[in-house]
Structures are given as structure tokens and as C-alpha cells.
């Protein structure tokens, strides 16, 4: 027997052993292959994440290529930031006051009821001009100062005559401040009796606080607080290469990565529905495998030229 014939016989013997082993364990082998196939498919379709962007640091340059948003998304504020902004609105919203009448009406009433017959109006013209100016600027009651903003007590909102919108003013005064201002302009002469006049009796507030309207203005401001810092449209550059990653941009990158992973899951990649579908396919293939028990014999028949083994 030649070396070629010996080699051929050994090869045929090895093939026969492999086929015999395959025939004996065909179901286990096919089941194992199906398991490996299913696991491979599941791993392939699971979200890969965005680990490529995981090494960036806030305050450092962006080392990757520019990041372009594949979808539109909002960069949210933290709960603490939202609450701080709302607290600021509560403390700084100007209170709403209503005007009780025209400044000229209050001025005329003060002159007619308090000064007529007591002093020479012409000689006290600076006093009356000052009184007129105070009413034009606006006088509020001392008791209404409790409604002034905690951090900025020099601004109030005044409804117009129709009550449709408000205007902010800053030069108003209180009844105490108005009285002190007038006292500086009395300068009585011997013929005057103004010292006997109680100035507080004609310094009447012409602005009064509307607490309901103030509460409504604060509520509107609080409810209008935006829960997002920035909106990024699809196709827009989130950050460019070598650009410094600031605090807001870092939050935008994190938000983009998180939402991208959620979007991939919602599209059926790696979620429980795909897992279930893979298991169903696996079971069906096993059933088909059990039903086709003769395919190994057919394979042997063709390999040995029509002479089945065993």
C-alpha cells in the first residue's frame, strides 16, 4: 500500500469518526449552534452606548470631532436651579398698586382742606410745588411697604386707568417720607400759622396695593419658569473640536448621550421585546431541528458516493 493510499485511508477514517460523532450528537450540536447564534444576534442589536465620549472633562478642550445632534433635544435645569429661580421671582416681583385718583385731585383736595386761609399760597409756592410733585410721583401708605420686594424695594407696578396692563415706577414715596419732605419746605414767617398744621392730615396715599393682583403676578412668574437651559435643534453642532467644555455644554453632552440611548431602546434595539422575539425564534428552530432527524444520514450518503455508513 502506497503512502498516498495510507493517507487517504486515514483521512477517510477521520471523516467517518467525525460523521459518526455528529450523527450521535447532532441535536446537541445544533442546539449549541442555535444558542450561540441567538446570543450573537442579541448582543449585536443591543445599544452600544456612546463610550467614545466618556473621557471628556469639564473645563478641558473637546478632543473629538464636532458633535452634531442627530435629533432635537432640551438641556434640563436641575430641581435646585428651578426652585432658586422661582424663589428669586417671589422675592423680586414688584407689587401691583392701583391709583386711587389723578394726582391733581389729591393736590387740590389737600390745598382746599388744609392750607386755604392759613398761609399765603404765593409765598409758599415751593411748598405747593413740592406737594404737587409728590402726588405726581405717587405716595403709598407706610403699611403697604410690607409688600415691597425683599431684594429691590424701589420698584412697584401701577395699573393703568383701564386696568389692562401695568407700568413700573421707581420714584414713589411713603407717607412718612412725603411728610418729612414737606416739613423741609415750610419755612414759616411770623404771619403764617402753618406750624399749627399737622402735615400728616393732608398727605394721603394715592396708590394702594392690590394684593390679589400681586399674588397673581407672582404666580404667573413662577409658573413661567422654563425647566430647560438650552434647546438644541437637529443638525446643530453641540460642541466643536478643541472647544472648551463648560458647565452647560457638559450637561448638554450628557443629556444627548442619555436621550440617544433611550431613543435606540425605543426603536427596538436591545429591549425586552427583541429578547422575547429571539427566544421565540430559538424555540421554533429547535422544533424544526427535532423534526428533521434524517439530515445527517443524507449528508453521509452524498459524501460516500451513495453508500451510507452504519
Amino acid at each position: 500500500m502506497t503512502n498516498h493510499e495510507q493517507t487517504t485511508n486515514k483521512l477517510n477514517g477521520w471523516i467517518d469518526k467525525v460523521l459518526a460523532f455528529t450523527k450521535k450528537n447532532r441535536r446537541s450540536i445544533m442546539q449549541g449552534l442555535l444558542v450561540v447564534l441567538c446570543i450573537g444576534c442579541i448582543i449585536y442589536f443591543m445599544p452600544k452606548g456612546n463610550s467614545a465620549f466618556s473621557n471628556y472633562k469639564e473645563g478641558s478642550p473637546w478632543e473629538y470631532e464636532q458633535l452634531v445632534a442627530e435629533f432635537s433635544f432640551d438641556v434640563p435645569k436641575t430641581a435646585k436651579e428651578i426652585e432658586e429661580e422661582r424663589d428669586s421671582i417671589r422675592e423680586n416681583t414688584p407689587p401691583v398698586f392701583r391709583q386711587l385718583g389723578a394726582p391733581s385731585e389729591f393736590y387740590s383736595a389737600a390745598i382746599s382742606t388744609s392750607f386755604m386761609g392759613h398761609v399765603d399760597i404765593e409765598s409758599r409756592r415751593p411748598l405747593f410745588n413740592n406737594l404737587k410733585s409728590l402726588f405726581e410721583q405717587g405716595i403709598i401708605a407706610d403699611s403697604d411697604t410690607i409688600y415691597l420686594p425683599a431684594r429691590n424695594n424701589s420698584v412697584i407696578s401701577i395699573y393703568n386707568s383701564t386696568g389692562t396692563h401695568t407700568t413700573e415706577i421707581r420714584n414713589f414715596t411713603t407717607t412718612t417720607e412725603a411728610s418729612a419732605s414737606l416739613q423741609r419746605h415750610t419755612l414759616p414767617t411770623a404771619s403764617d400759622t402753618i406750624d399749627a398744621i399737622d402735615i400728616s392730615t393732608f398727605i394721603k396715599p394715592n396708590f394702594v396695593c392690590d394684593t390679589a393682583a400681586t399674588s397673581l403676578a407672582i404666580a404667573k412668574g413662577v409658573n413661567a419658569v422654563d425647566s430647560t437651559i438650552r434647546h438644541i435643534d437637529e443638525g446643530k453642532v453641540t460642541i466643536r473640536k478643541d472647544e472648551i467644555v463648560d458647565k452647560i455644554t457638559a450637561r448638554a453632552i450628557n443629556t444627548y448621550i442619555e436621550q440617544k440611548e433611550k431613543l435606540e431602546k425605543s426603536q427596538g434595539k436591545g429591549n425586552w421585546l427583541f429578547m422575547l422575539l429571539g427566544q421565540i425564534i430559538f424555540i421554533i428552530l429547535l422544533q424544526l431541528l427535532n423534526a428533521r432527524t434524517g439530515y445527517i444520514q443524507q449528508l453521509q450518503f452524498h459524501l460516500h458516493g451513495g453508500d451510507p455508513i452504519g
Side-chain angles (χ1 to χ4, degrees):
M1 181 179 295
T2 64
N3 290 335
H4 176 71
E5 291 175 342
Q6 291 179 355
T7 303
T8 302
N9 290 336
K10 289 181 180 180
L11 182 60
N12 289 334
W14 182 82
I15 293 176
D16 290 340
K17 289 180 180 180
V18 172
L19 292 176
F21 176 81
T22 304
K23 177 180 179 181
K24 182 178 179 180
N25 302 282
R26 62 182 182 275
R27 292 185 180 179
S28 299
I29 293 174
M30 292 304 298
Q31 289 174 353
L33 291 175
L34 287 175
V35 170
V36 172
L37 178 62
C38 289
I39 293 176
C41 289
I42 291 173
I43 294 176
Y44 176 79
F45 285 103
M46 286 183 68
K48 304 300 187 302
N50 295 275
S51 57
F53 302 144
S54 61
N55 295 325
Y56 74 89
K57 294 181 180 180
E58 183 179 325
S60 300
W62 180 252
E63 300 177 355
Y64 312 100
E65 295 300 322
Q66 65 179 15
L67 180 61
V68 179
E70 299 178 8
F71 49 84
S72 299
F73 67 97
D74 294 319
V75 183
K77 298 176 182 176
T78 64
K80 181 180 179 181
E81 289 171 337
I82 294 175
E83 192 57 34
E84 287 178 349
E85 190 170 343
R86 289 174 175 172
D87 287 340
S88 177
I89 290 174
R90 295 186 184 101
E91 295 177 2
N92 293 287
T93 298
V96 179
F97 279 70
R98 293 189 180 276
Q99 191 169 0
L100 299 178
S104 58
E105 296 176 1
F106 279 80
Y107 171 73
S108 298
I111 294 297
S112 62
T113 58
S114 301
F115 282 106
M116 287 301 181
H118 293 281
V119 296
D120 178 11
I121 293 181
E122 289 303 323
S123 65
R124 295 303 182 200
R125 182 58 59 186
L127 171 67
F128 295 116
N129 288 341
N130 180 246
L131 178 62
K132 183 178 181 181
S133 175
L134 289 172
F135 280 121
E136 289 175 346
Q137 292 175 2
I139 302 175
I140 68 173
D142 292 336
S143 58
D144 278 347
T145 57
I146 62 173
Y147 302 111
L148 298 179
R151 299 181 184 174
N152 187 359
N153 59 5
S154 62
V155 180
I156 62 176
S157 295
I158 302 297
Y159 265 118
N160 64 351
S161 57
T162 60
T164 55
H165 65 275
T166 59
T167 302
E168 290 188 357
I169 64 171
R170 297 178 179 273
N171 296 323
F172 64 91
T173 185
T174 64
T175 51
T176 298
E177 293 169 344
S179 297
S181 178
L182 284 184
Q183 287 287 0
R184 292 194 295 269
H185 289 82
T186 55
L187 300 176
T189 63
S191 60
D192 292 333
T193 58
I194 192 170
D195 283 340
I197 300 174
D198 183 4
I199 292 180
S200 63
T201 60
F202 61 88
I203 295 296
K204 303 295 182 182
N206 59 337
F207 292 158
V208 62
C209 184
D210 188 332
T211 55
T214 300
S215 298
L216 181 60
I218 294 175
K220 286 183 177 180
V222 169
N223 293 333
V225 172
D226 196 347
S227 60
T228 62
I229 299 177
R230 180 187 301 173
H231 176 79
I232 299 179
D233 291 318
E234 179 180 356
K236 295 296 183 179
V237 177
T238 304
I239 188 171
R240 291 178 171 81
K241 183 176 176 61
D242 297 328
E243 184 178 339
I244 300 299
V245 182
D246 58 27
K247 181 179 180 180
I248 302 302
T249 304
R251 194 181 301 180
I253 295 171
N254 290 336
T255 302
Y256 176 73
I257 292 174
E258 293 174 0
Q259 293 193 14
K260 185 175 182 180
E261 291 177 350
K262 291 180 180 179
L263 182 62
E264 290 176 348
K265 290 181 180 180
S266 67
Q267 292 174 344
K269 295 181 179 180
N271 62 8
W272 66 270
L273 184 61
F274 181 81
M275 300 287 190
L276 179 61
L277 180 61
Q279 293 177 0
I280 293 174
I281 295 174
F282 174 67
I283 293 173
I284 293 175
L285 290 176
L286 284 181
Q287 295 297 324
L288 293 175
L289 176 63
N290 291 332
R292 299 184 61 184
T293 57
Y295 88 99
I296 294 295
Q297 290 84 345
Q298 295 177 4
L299 178 62
Q300 290 177 325
F301 181 82
H302 291 292
L303 288 176
H304 293 277
D307 182 18
I309 297 176

